[in-house]
Short mmCIF file of all heavy atoms in Angstrom, two decimals:
data_model
loop_
_atom_site.label_atom_id
_atom_site.label_comp_id
_atom_site.label_asym_id
_atom_site.label_seq_id
_atom_site.Cartn_x
_atom_site.Cartn_y
_atom_site.Cartn_z
N ARG A 1 -9.80 0.44 16.49
CA ARG A 1 -10.24 0.78 15.14
C ARG A 1 -10.75 2.23 15.16
O ARG A 1 -11.71 2.54 15.85
CB ARG A 1 -11.34 -0.14 14.66
CG ARG A 1 -11.71 0.04 13.18
CD ARG A 1 -13.02 -0.63 12.87
NE ARG A 1 -13.23 -0.79 11.44
CZ ARG A 1 -14.43 -0.95 10.89
NH1 ARG A 1 -15.51 -1.00 11.65
NH2 ARG A 1 -14.55 -1.10 9.58
N LEU A 2 -10.10 3.07 14.40
CA LEU A 2 -10.52 4.46 14.29
C LEU A 2 -11.43 4.64 13.07
O LEU A 2 -11.28 3.93 12.07
CB LEU A 2 -9.31 5.38 14.15
CG LEU A 2 -8.24 5.27 15.23
CD1 LEU A 2 -7.16 6.31 14.98
CD2 LEU A 2 -8.83 5.43 16.62
N SER A 3 -12.32 5.61 13.18
CA SER A 3 -13.21 5.95 12.06
C SER A 3 -13.08 7.43 11.74
O SER A 3 -12.83 8.25 12.62
CB SER A 3 -14.66 5.64 12.40
OG SER A 3 -14.85 4.27 12.64
N CYS A 4 -13.28 7.76 10.48
CA CYS A 4 -13.28 9.15 10.01
C CYS A 4 -14.52 9.32 9.15
O CYS A 4 -14.60 8.74 8.06
CB CYS A 4 -12.03 9.44 9.20
SG CYS A 4 -12.07 10.99 8.27
N ALA A 5 -15.47 10.09 9.64
CA ALA A 5 -16.71 10.33 8.91
C ALA A 5 -16.65 11.70 8.26
O ALA A 5 -16.34 12.70 8.91
CB ALA A 5 -17.89 10.24 9.85
N ALA A 6 -16.95 11.74 6.95
CA ALA A 6 -16.94 13.00 6.21
C ALA A 6 -18.36 13.48 5.96
O ALA A 6 -19.28 12.67 5.78
CB ALA A 6 -16.22 12.82 4.89
N SER A 7 -18.55 14.78 5.95
CA SER A 7 -19.89 15.35 5.74
C SER A 7 -20.25 15.44 4.26
O SER A 7 -21.33 15.90 3.92
CB SER A 7 -19.97 16.74 6.38
OG SER A 7 -19.03 17.62 5.78
N VAL A 8 -19.32 15.02 3.40
CA VAL A 8 -19.57 14.98 1.96
C VAL A 8 -19.23 13.59 1.45
O VAL A 8 -18.52 12.83 2.13
CB VAL A 8 -18.74 16.02 1.19
CG1 VAL A 8 -19.14 17.42 1.59
CG2 VAL A 8 -17.25 15.79 1.40
N SER A 9 -19.71 13.28 0.29
CA SER A 9 -19.38 11.98 -0.29
C SER A 9 -17.88 11.93 -0.61
O SER A 9 -17.33 12.86 -1.18
CB SER A 9 -20.17 11.78 -1.58
OG SER A 9 -19.69 10.63 -2.26
N ILE A 10 -17.27 10.83 -0.21
CA ILE A 10 -15.84 10.69 -0.50
C ILE A 10 -15.61 9.85 -1.74
O ILE A 10 -14.47 9.55 -2.09
CB ILE A 10 -15.08 10.07 0.69
CG1 ILE A 10 -15.53 8.63 0.94
CG2 ILE A 10 -15.24 10.93 1.94
CD1 ILE A 10 -14.66 7.89 1.96
N PHE A 11 -16.70 9.52 -2.42
CA PHE A 11 -16.58 8.64 -3.58
C PHE A 11 -15.63 9.20 -4.62
O PHE A 11 -14.84 8.49 -5.21
CB PHE A 11 -17.96 8.40 -4.21
CG PHE A 11 -17.91 7.50 -5.40
CD1 PHE A 11 -17.81 6.13 -5.24
CD2 PHE A 11 -17.95 8.01 -6.69
CE1 PHE A 11 -17.76 5.29 -6.32
CE2 PHE A 11 -17.90 7.17 -7.79
CZ PHE A 11 -17.81 5.81 -7.60
N SER A 12 -15.70 10.51 -4.83
CA SER A 12 -14.89 11.12 -5.87
C SER A 12 -13.57 11.69 -5.34
O SER A 12 -12.76 12.20 -6.12
CB SER A 12 -15.68 12.24 -6.56
OG SER A 12 -16.02 13.23 -5.62
N ILE A 13 -13.37 11.59 -4.05
CA ILE A 13 -12.13 12.12 -3.47
C ILE A 13 -10.99 11.18 -3.79
O ILE A 13 -11.14 9.96 -3.74
CB ILE A 13 -12.27 12.30 -1.96
CG1 ILE A 13 -13.32 13.37 -1.66
CG2 ILE A 13 -10.94 12.68 -1.33
CD1 ILE A 13 -13.59 13.55 -0.18
N GLY A 14 -9.87 11.72 -4.13
CA GLY A 14 -8.71 10.90 -4.45
C GLY A 14 -8.13 10.24 -3.22
O GLY A 14 -8.80 9.49 -2.53
N THR A 15 -6.89 10.56 -2.94
CA THR A 15 -6.20 9.90 -1.85
C THR A 15 -6.55 10.52 -0.51
O THR A 15 -6.41 11.72 -0.31
CB THR A 15 -4.69 9.96 -2.07
OG1 THR A 15 -4.37 9.32 -3.32
CG2 THR A 15 -3.94 9.26 -0.95
N MET A 16 -6.98 9.67 0.42
CA MET A 16 -7.25 10.10 1.77
C MET A 16 -6.16 9.56 2.69
O MET A 16 -5.44 8.62 2.33
CB MET A 16 -8.63 9.64 2.22
CG MET A 16 -9.74 10.25 1.39
SD MET A 16 -11.36 10.03 2.14
CE MET A 16 -11.24 11.11 3.57
N ALA A 17 -6.08 10.15 3.88
CA ALA A 17 -4.95 9.81 4.74
C ALA A 17 -5.28 9.94 6.21
O ALA A 17 -6.17 10.70 6.59
CB ALA A 17 -3.76 10.71 4.41
N TRP A 18 -4.56 9.19 7.00
CA TRP A 18 -4.55 9.34 8.46
C TRP A 18 -3.22 9.98 8.85
O TRP A 18 -2.16 9.63 8.31
CB TRP A 18 -4.69 8.00 9.16
CG TRP A 18 -6.07 7.47 9.19
CD1 TRP A 18 -6.63 6.54 8.37
CD2 TRP A 18 -7.11 7.84 10.13
NE1 TRP A 18 -7.93 6.30 8.72
CE2 TRP A 18 -8.25 7.08 9.80
CE3 TRP A 18 -7.17 8.72 11.21
CZ2 TRP A 18 -9.45 7.19 10.51
CZ3 TRP A 18 -8.35 8.82 11.90
CH2 TRP A 18 -9.47 8.06 11.55
N TYR A 19 -3.31 10.88 9.82
CA TYR A 19 -2.14 11.55 10.37
C TYR A 19 -2.18 11.38 11.90
O TYR A 19 -3.23 11.08 12.47
CB TYR A 19 -2.18 13.05 10.06
CG TYR A 19 -2.21 13.39 8.59
CD1 TYR A 19 -3.41 13.36 7.88
CD2 TYR A 19 -1.06 13.78 7.91
CE1 TYR A 19 -3.46 13.68 6.53
CE2 TYR A 19 -1.10 14.11 6.56
CZ TYR A 19 -2.31 14.05 5.89
OH TYR A 19 -2.35 14.38 4.54
N ARG A 20 -1.06 11.62 12.55
CA ARG A 20 -1.05 11.62 14.00
C ARG A 20 -0.06 12.66 14.52
O ARG A 20 0.93 12.97 13.85
CB ARG A 20 -0.74 10.24 14.56
CG ARG A 20 0.68 9.74 14.34
CD ARG A 20 0.80 8.31 14.84
NE ARG A 20 2.15 7.77 14.71
CZ ARG A 20 2.46 6.50 14.95
NH1 ARG A 20 1.54 5.63 15.35
NH2 ARG A 20 3.73 6.10 14.80
N GLN A 21 -0.37 13.16 15.70
CA GLN A 21 0.50 14.15 16.34
C GLN A 21 0.71 13.75 17.79
O GLN A 21 -0.23 13.75 18.59
CB GLN A 21 -0.11 15.55 16.25
CG GLN A 21 0.81 16.64 16.75
CD GLN A 21 0.30 18.02 16.41
OE1 GLN A 21 -0.86 18.22 16.06
NE2 GLN A 21 1.19 19.01 16.46
N ALA A 22 1.94 13.40 18.09
CA ALA A 22 2.31 13.06 19.47
C ALA A 22 2.66 14.34 20.22
O ALA A 22 2.99 15.36 19.60
CB ALA A 22 3.49 12.10 19.47
N PRO A 23 2.60 14.31 21.55
CA PRO A 23 2.91 15.51 22.34
C PRO A 23 4.30 16.06 22.00
O PRO A 23 5.27 15.32 21.98
CB PRO A 23 2.84 15.00 23.78
CG PRO A 23 1.91 13.84 23.72
CD PRO A 23 2.16 13.19 22.39
N GLY A 24 4.36 17.34 21.72
CA GLY A 24 5.63 17.99 21.43
C GLY A 24 6.19 17.72 20.05
O GLY A 24 7.32 18.13 19.76
#
């Protein structure tokens, strides 16, 4: 289980996303 903590309130933020980058 991954977590993403933001330093601002995300209440008003629209769409959030997870991304990933594999080697190369």
Side-chain angles (χ1 to χ4, degrees):
R1 188 195 195 202
L2 305 184
S3 298
C4 168
S7 61
V8 295
S9 171
I10 65 171
F11 180 79
S12 61
I13 295 176
T15 301
M16 297 194 69
W18 282 99
Y19 301 81
R20 69 185 182 187
Q21 186 169 17

